[in-house]
Amino acid sequence: MRNYCYLCTMNGKYMEKSVFLLALCCVLAGCKDMFRYHPYDVRLDGENHINRANIGKIEALCKGKDTLRVAFTGDTHGWYSETKGMVADINGRGNVDFVIHLGDLTDCGTTREYEWARDILSGLQPPYVALIGNHDFLGTGDNAYDWMYGDTDFSFIAGRIKFVCLNTNATEYDYLAAVPNLDYMEEQIHADSALFDRSIVCMHARPYSEQFNNNVAKVFGIYIRSFPGIMFCANGHDHCLQASELYNDGIMYYGVNSAESRSYLLFTITPTGYEYEVVYH
């Protein structure tokens, strides 16, 4: 009898422990966001390779079009409600073909910031692509960008216009990497030449900003002028509206303000030129 009672007592303890562990597992399963990895531990899920997927959509939607309406935004880091307002404004217009985000999706390059930015921008009805900004490099942010968006230099053709998107964040590499990548630019000047007549070059940091490798600024300008039918360049980074001719060569560089200003640039590109407006929302 004594042995039986002892066994029952032990079984009771085992049962209590089993019930506790089962309850704990249920709690943890229902609260997956309660515990986070390190902010720079790149454990991402959900939508990835966004640029590649959306470039396919842009090229299909714009094939054969002679007039494009393109929204340029950038430096949305930290201003989430303002970015949501921009998304709502663009969606409400109903005639924007696609959106180009000129970099600085995040403030500190953390995994959660990338997820927050993606969640908001995924609400855009027109497809969008995103460049990498200098803030997006912080910590392991460049790895997160690579997983979520893809290559830091990329291009696509919409309505016989080639959009060339460049990584110009030289200081993030301590000037040890080919940034901007002049070889890539030269390649894009000639690649698919039968498919486009005009060009637009996009970047985060413009030449002569503190983030740019200004040792190659003059050469960069020569490459820009070499793009067939170059129309203009667009950049972010400086958190102010800009419209200037950096090289006195007739090529305009347009800078977008940060999302804090609740504004973005909307370009209408026609067969004979373009016009733009600053949209406040």
Side-chain angles (χ1 to χ4, degrees):
M1 185 69 177
R2 183 175 301 168
N3 290 339
Y4 173 77
C5 292
Y6 176 77
L7 185 59
C8 288
T9 302
M10 292 300 293
N11 284 341
K13 290 181 180 180
Y14 291 148
M15 289 181 65
E16 288 178 6
K17 186 175 182 180
S18 298
V19 170
F20 171 77
L21 290 175
L22 179 61
L24 180 60
C25 289
C26 291
V27 169
L28 293 178
C31 303
K32 64 179 181 179
D33 291 328
M34 182 180 295
F35 299 98
R36 303 295 303 179
Y37 295 103
H38 189 279
Y40 291 116
D41 189 345
V42 186
R43 297 175 189 244
L44 292 154
D45 55 22
E47 189 179 12
N48 63 346
H49 300 301
I50 292 171
N51 285 347
R52 182 175 64 192
N54 284 347
I55 283 172
K57 295 176 184 177
I58 291 168
E59 291 183 331
L61 288 169
C62 297
K63 187 175 182 179
K65 294 192 72 169
D66 61 3
T67 298
L68 299 178
R69 287 175 66 83
V70 184
F72 291 87
T73 186
D75 299 273
T76 53
H77 49 140
W79 292 294
Y80 300 113
S81 62
E82 292 83 353
T83 305
K84 290 179 181 177
M86 177 203 68
V87 168
D89 188 87
I90 290 174
N91 289 346
R93 291 176 175 271
N95 60 357
V96 177
D97 291 297
F98 58 93
V99 179
I100 297 180
H101 191 296
L102 295 164
D104 276 359
L105 296 147
T106 70
D107 201 31
C108 300
T110 66
T111 298
R112 286 297 281 163
E113 286 179 300
Y114 269 105
E115 292 172 336
W116 290 332
R118 179 187 61 187
D119 290 346
I120 295 171
L121 294 173
S122 66
L124 282 165
Q125 291 174 2
Y128 80 98
V129 295
L131 283 70
I132 191 168
N134 58 302
H135 280 261
D136 301 324
F137 275 93
L138 298 179
T140 57
D142 54 332
N143 294 323
Y145 177 90
D146 178 72
W147 186 90
M148 189 172 286
Y149 289 97
D151 295 335
T152 56
D153 293 312
F154 62 94
S155 70
F156 59 94
I157 297 172
R160 294 197 63 82
I161 299 172
K162 174 174 270 193
F163 290 80
V164 182
C165 301
L166 301 174
N167 172 17
T168 56
N169 304 287
T171 61
E172 299 306 319
Y173 298 90
D174 293 327
Y175 303 102
L176 297 176
V179 176
N181 189 332
L182 301 179
D183 288 340
Y184 179 81
M185 293 178 70
E186 183 174 8
E187 173 190 311
Q188 292 304 309
I189 289 168
H190 303 289
D192 303 313
S193 58
L195 301 179
F196 70 100
D197 308 305
R198 295 179 291 172
S199 309
I200 294 169
V201 178
C202 308
M203 65 202 78
H204 181 63
R206 60 162 49 188
Y208 301 112
S209 70
E210 90 294 340
Q211 182 67 216
F212 198 87
N213 182 359
N214 290 308
N215 291 314
V216 299
K218 290 184 178 180
V219 177
F220 183 83
I222 293 171
Y223 276 89
I224 292 292
R225 290 190 289 274
S226 299
F227 277 96
I230 181 70
M231 299 181 71
F232 62 86
C233 297
N235 68 270
H237 183 59
D238 293 318
H239 290 214
C240 62
L241 292 172
Q242 297 165 314
S244 54
E245 192 180 324
L246 293 184
Y247 295 99
N248 297 316
D249 55 6
I251 301 170
M252 294 295 293
Y253 286 71
Y254 296 100
V256 301
N257 209 334
S258 68
E260 183 183 23
S261 68
R262 301 191 71 91
S263 70
Y264 62 92
L265 297 183
L266 182 60
F267 278 75
T268 301
I269 305 168
T270 68
T272 58
Y274 68 89
E275 59 183 25
Y276 77 97
E277 60 179 307
V278 182
V279 178
Y280 291 94
H281 56 87

